[in-house]
């Protein structure tokens, strides 16, 4: 990855310090590490595969952004990406990433990335990069007031708590054990975790603290954006089902497109608040929007995604 010293994230503003130890994040050393094959041609391999046995969309987005970032100079940073998932990814074979240098301008540069498996594109992406340009026109929403991550249970502890609940319905046991066995390279702490012993429909909103496992460091802002791209797709589309989760059983849920806008420097290996909401669903599609906040209240990243969601007709989870 290219280094970008002029866009380093302010260490003291984020708070929390570095994770203990000097273990390099597996997201950097493995998941987002691409093998160069030729100029603007890279090969990516897989780390974590969801239970659907499809490639994790966040991995493809993150790897594609890594490939695009390798084709731009050090003094510009990623400001947005827009991508489409066009075919299901095969976790049994690597992904080839082909980069096209669409435009290299004075202020803005655009790169097109095509991810290929079995000779066919599975994913296409446009990434735009900008040279830093200060402006007096500035504003942002206010960060929601939530408990700090130190006061909340992480995903693993939360699942252990669910599994110890004597009132837990048997139908959840298999799924929870399967989730607990996953080696996901990110840490998650939900703000208001659902109560599985008393299922209820929820508002189409959720928030959780999230960060990459391990240490990334502050020197390479482009890599933090790539890690945020990976993180942003985890549990994002599931926000759509919060008002319907107990009435319908999901048969098929997959991302159609994904967009991100990077506003200001941040550390993806420090806790960030991921605020997700779904303003609309219908016609077998659902829209989600998200905001990644730094701990100091600065809005770092905005995200949007639409996905296909199909449920089993006439099947209520309460009857399973």
């Amino acid at each position: 990855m290219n280094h970008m010293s002029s866009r380093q994230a302010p260490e003291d503003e984020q708070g929390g310090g570095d994770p203990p130890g000097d273990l390099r994040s597996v997201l950097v050393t493995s998941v987002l590490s691409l093998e160069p094959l030729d100029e603007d041609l890279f090969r990516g391999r897989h780390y974590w595969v969801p239970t659907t046995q499809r490639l994790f969309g966040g991995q493809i987005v993150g790897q594609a952004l890594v490939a695009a970032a390798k084709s731009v100079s050090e003094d510009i940073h990623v400001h947005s990406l827009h991508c489409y998932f066009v075919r299901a990814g095969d976790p049994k074979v690597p992904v080839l990433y082909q980069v096209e240098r669409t435009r290299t301008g004075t202020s803005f540069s655009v790169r097109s990335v095509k991810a290929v498996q079995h000779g066919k594109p599975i994913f296409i992406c446009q990434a735009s990069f900008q040279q830093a340009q200060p402006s007096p026109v500035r504003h942002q929403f206010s960060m929601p007031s939530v408990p700090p991550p130190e006061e909340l249970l992480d995903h693993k502890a939360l699942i252990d708590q669910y599994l110890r609940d004597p009132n837990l319905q048997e139908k959840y046991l298999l799924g929870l054990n399967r989730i607990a066995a996953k080696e996901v390279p990110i840490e998650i702490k939900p703000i208001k975790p659902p109560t599985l012993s008393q299922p209820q429909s929820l508002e189409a909103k959720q928030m959780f603290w999230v960060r990459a496992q391990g240490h990334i460091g502050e020197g390479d802002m482009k890599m933090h954006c790539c890690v945020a791209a990976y993180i942003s797709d985890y549990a994002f589309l599931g926000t759509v089902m919060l008002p319907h989760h107990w009435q319908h059983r999901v048969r098929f849920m997959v991302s159609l497109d994904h967009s991100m806008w990077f506003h200001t420097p941040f550390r993806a290996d420090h806790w960030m608040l991921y605020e997700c909401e779904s303003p609309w669903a219908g016609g077998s599609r659902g829209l989600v929007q998200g905001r990644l906040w730094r701990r100091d209240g600065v809005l770092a990243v905005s995200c949007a995604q639409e996905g296909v969601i199909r449920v089993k007709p006439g099947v209520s989870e309460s009857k399973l």
Side-chain angles (χ1 to χ4, degrees):
M1 289 296 299
N2 293 321
H3 290 274
M4 192 166 181
S5 56
S6 62
R7 295 288 296 178
Q8 290 179 358
E11 179 72 24
D12 295 336
E13 291 181 17
Q14 288 240 81
D18 291 332
D22 59 355
L23 178 65
R24 188 81 165 150
S25 172
V26 71
L27 278 167
V28 175
T29 61
S30 178
V31 180
L32 299 178
S33 178
L34 299 183
E35 177 189 357
L37 300 179
D38 202 341
E39 185 177 45
D40 295 337
L41 180 64
F42 306 90
R43 179 162 52 201
R45 301 190 181 274
H46 320 309
Y47 179 77
W48 172 71
V49 177
T51 53
T52 59
Q53 292 306 301
R54 293 169 174 265
L55 280 184
F56 174 49
Q59 175 186 289
I60 305 175
V61 178
Q63 288 183 343
L65 189 54
V66 169
K70 287 179 180 291
S71 69
V72 297
S73 61
E74 293 183 3
D75 60 339
I76 62 174
H77 66 281
V78 57
H79 83 83
S80 70
L81 61 87
H82 305 276
C83 38
Y84 284 92
F85 300 90
V86 293
R87 287 182 178 86
D90 181 355
K92 296 187 294 294
V93 299
V95 180
L96 292 179
Y97 293 93
Q98 304 169 354
V99 180
E100 178 185 307
R101 305 190 183 205
T102 308
R103 180 179 187 267
T104 300
T106 305
S107 300
F108 291 89
S109 296
V110 177
R111 299 293 184 261
S112 302
V113 184
K114 181 165 62 174
V116 177
Q117 282 186 324
H118 304 297
K120 296 180 179 179
I122 64 168
F123 170 90
I124 53 176
C125 175
Q126 303 279 338
S128 181
F129 299 81
Q130 180 190 15
Q131 192 155 24
Q133 295 175 304
S135 170
V137 181
R138 301 176 65 91
H139 73 267
Q140 67 162 57
F141 283 178
S142 296
M143 178 179 173
S145 178
V146 298
E150 291 78 15
E151 296 179 7
L152 300 170
L153 293 175
D154 63 23
H155 225 205
K156 186 178 184 306
L158 197 59
I159 290 171
D160 289 344
Q161 187 181 80
Y162 285 149
L163 292 172
R164 288 196 303 268
D165 184 350
N167 297 317
L168 181 69
Q169 298 177 48
E170 190 175 343
K171 66 184 179 184
Y172 297 121
L173 285 174
L174 181 62
L176 285 172
N177 279 304
R178 191 184 296 135
I179 293 171
K182 292 178 182 177
E183 290 293 330
V184 183
I186 54 180
E187 298 178 69
I188 299 170
K189 292 191 174 185
I191 302 299
K192 291 183 179 178
T195 305
L196 294 187
S197 57
Q198 295 177 322
Q200 56 182 333
S201 293
L202 304 171
E203 191 178 9
K205 296 181 179 181
Q206 64 175 336
M207 291 186 289
F208 43 90
W209 291 102
V210 64
R211 69 179 177 185
Q213 284 188 351
H215 179 69
I216 297 174
E218 65 179 41
D220 193 344
M221 188 57 221
K222 288 192 185 77
M223 177 52 78
H224 285 281
C225 291
C226 295
V227 171
Y230 181 96
I231 289 173
S232 69
D233 193 41
Y234 190 82
F236 195 23
L237 192 55
T239 310
V240 175
M241 289 305 298
L242 292 177
H244 317 282
H245 191 59
W246 313 114
Q247 290 81 43
H248 304 286
R249 188 178 184 186
V250 174
R251 178 172 59 87
F252 181 81
M253 182 162 63
V254 66
S255 304
L256 286 172
D257 57 10
H258 192 86
S259 295
M260 300 183 72
W261 297 264
F262 301 90
H263 309 309
T264 196
F266 60 91
R267 287 279 300 269
D269 54 353
H270 286 180
W271 287 115
M272 300 181 74
L273 180 68
Y274 198 12
E275 180 188 10
C276 307
E277 59 187 6
S278 174
W280 174 88
S284 296
R285 303 198 323 271
L287 176 68
V288 283
Q289 298 169 339
R291 290 182 280 272
L292 273 166
W293 300 88
R294 293 191 334 206
R295 284 194 72 165
D296 61 357
V298 172
L299 180 60
V301 185
S302 296
C303 316
Q305 183 181 105
E306 196 174 52
V308 173
I309 300 171
R310 297 192 178 108
V311 298
K312 294 196 173 183
V315 176
S316 168
E317 286 222 348
S318 61
K319 299 175 183 177
L320 294 178

